Amino acid sequence: MPTPVRKDVDYRTVRIGIDLGGTKIEGIALDDDGGVRVRRRVSAPRDDYTKTLTAVVDLVHDIEHEVGARGHVGVGIPGAISPATGLVKNANSTWLIGRPLGDDLPRRLDRPVRFANDANCFALSEAVDGAAAGADLVFGVIIGTGTGGGLVVDRRVLEGANRIAGEWGHNPMPAPRDGEWPGPPCYCGRTGCIETFLSGPAIARDYQASGGAAITAREIAQRARDGEPLASIVLARYEERLARALASIINVFDPGVIVLGGGVSNIERLYDSVPALWAPHVFSDTVTTRLVRAAHGDSSGVRGAAWLWD
Ligand SMILES: [Zn+2]
C-alpha cells in the first residue's frame, strides 16, 4: 500500500522515473516540461531481490546528487503489485515475484513511491508528451517478445481493480479463422492467446511454418519490403490479426489513439494497413481511432514512470 505523502518534505522539485528491467535498470530525472535533466543506466542484478532493491536506491540517490534536489519517485516494473497481497505478481523478472517491493522501496527511500506496470508507463509517457499527446483515451501496446498493454485516461494510468487493465494479450484471438482455434499453447497455460499470434516470435514461427527460413520478424519485414511473396503473405496475415485484436479494444475502451511500441512497431506498413482492416470488427459506422508509432522509443518506460507523479 502506498505510504502517505509527508507534508514536511518538498518532493516537488523534480520527477524521477525508474524503469526496472530484467537486464538493465534505467533512471531519469524530468523537468516539468519533459526535459531530461539526468539519465543513468545500470545492470540489473539478476536473480537477487535484495541487490535489486539496493541498486534502485543507489540509482535514485545518484540522480538526486547530480540534480541537487530530492524527487518524487515513480517505478515501472515488469508485472504489478497485487492489491490483494501488496506483493509483486506477473513479473517475467521472476526474482521479484512474491516480494514486498511496494513496502520495501518506500521505506528504503523514506518517501512514497508510485509503481506501475511497464506497459502502463509506456502508455502514460506517450499520452503525456509523446505520439498520443492531447488524446483523452489512449491504449498503449508494446509488442516484442510479448504483448503488453496499458490504458490512460486524461493523463492518468487506469490500473483497474486487479491491476491488469489493458492486458489484452492473454485474451483469445477474436473471430478466429480456420486453424486459429484452439491455437498455439501459451506460457500462461491457455491456448490461442492474442500474444501467441502477435508477438515478434509469433511472426517468425508463422513464416517458418509456412515454409520460410528461421529468421526474425525484423528480417521478415525487410523481405516483405523487398517484395518476397511469402514474407508479404505472412505480414498480411499478421496485419489482419492485429486489426481484429485491436478492434476488440476499440469496442470496449474506444481510444482516440492506439500507440505501438516494441520491436514490431518498427514495421512501418502497419500504420496504414491495420486501420484499413479493423473497421469490419468495430461496432461503429466510422472509426476515427488513430494507430501511431511511439515517439519516445525505448525511453517511454522510464519517462512514464516519472510521469506517475503529475
Ligand atoms: Zn497466454
Side-chain angles (χ1 to χ4, degrees):
M1 294 298 104
T3 40
V5 176
R6 279 166 54 182
K7 295 281 195 299
D8 58 324
V9 176
D10 178 17
Y11 297 103
R12 293 205 143 265
T13 42
V14 67
R15 290 183 185 85
I16 294 174
I18 302 291
D19 185 10
L20 189 50
T23 54
K24 290 265 193 312
I25 303 173
E26 190 171 6
I28 201 172
L30 283 191
D31 283 329
D32 285 346
D33 63 359
V36 178
R37 290 178 66 177
V38 179
R39 183 189 296 271
R40 290 276 179 97
R41 201 177 258 217
V42 297
S43 294
R46 293 183 67 84
D47 303 319
D48 191 324
Y49 172 70
T50 306
K51 282 185 182 162
T52 300
L53 203 56
T54 300
V56 172
V57 170
D58 289 349
L59 189 57
V60 169
H61 288 155
D62 281 354
I63 289 170
E64 291 183 327
H65 183 72
E66 197 162 331
V67 298
R70 192 173 156 94
H72 277 304
V73 177
V75 181
I77 60 170
I81 292 179
S82 166
T85 64
L87 308 176
V88 176
K89 66 172 181 176
N90 294 355
N92 52 12
S93 302
T94 49
W95 60 98
L96 300 177
I97 291 175
R99 299 294 190 153
L101 186 66
D103 290 329
D104 288 342
L105 196 56
R107 189 167 55 241
R108 291 280 300 271
L109 287 170
D110 187 30
R111 77 196 78 176
V113 175
R114 291 185 179 167
F115 295 89
N117 171 265
D118 45 15
N120 289 356
C121 290
F122 164 80
L124 180 60
S125 165
E126 293 297 330
V128 170
D129 63 357
D136 298 336
L137 302 182
V138 176
F139 181 51
V141 201
I142 303 176
I143 306 183
T145 53
T147 52
L151 303 171
V152 173
V153 180
D154 295 332
R155 294 167 57 118
R156 290 191 60 176
V157 169
L158 197 67
E159 290 191 286
N162 305 291
R163 303 290 190 272
I164 57 164
E167 288 303 338
W168 106 135
H170 300 278
N171 282 1
M173 176 59 72
R177 303 289 164 86
D178 286 347
E180 289 182 351
W181 184 256
C186 182
Y187 74 87
C188 75
R190 300 167 184 84
T191 56
C193 291
I194 283 172
E195 178 165 312
T196 68
F197 293 102
L198 294 188
S199 68
I203 300 177
R205 266 199 313 275
D206 189 14
Y207 185 77
Q208 209 177 347
S210 307
I215 58 174
T216 64
R218 176 202 287 251
E219 290 166 310
I220 294 163
Q222 181 58 49
R223 288 189 182 194
R225 271 197 301 277
D226 294 342
E228 186 197 279
L230 180 60
S232 299
I233 289 168
V234 167
L235 268 200
R237 189 153 52 220
Y238 182 83
E239 288 160 342
E240 201 278 325
R241 287 171 172 163
L242 182 56
R244 264 186 279 150
L246 292 178
S248 68
I249 292 289
I250 298 173
N251 282 334
V252 174
F253 184 60
D254 203 5
V257 180
I258 296 174
V259 189
L260 281 190
V264 166
S265 71
N266 296 320
I267 304 175
E268 282 160 18
R269 54 185 263 182
L270 299 181
Y271 303 98
D272 291 326
S273 58
V274 173
L277 292 165
W278 64 31
H281 307 284
V282 177
F283 184 61
S284 174
D285 54 351
T286 59
V287 186
T288 59
T289 303
R290 293 186 295 128
L291 180 67
V292 298
R293 181 177 178 170
H296 292 302
D298 290 343
S299 293
S300 256
V302 73
R303 293 181 67 88
W307 286 124
L308 290 172
W309 293 91
D310 198 7

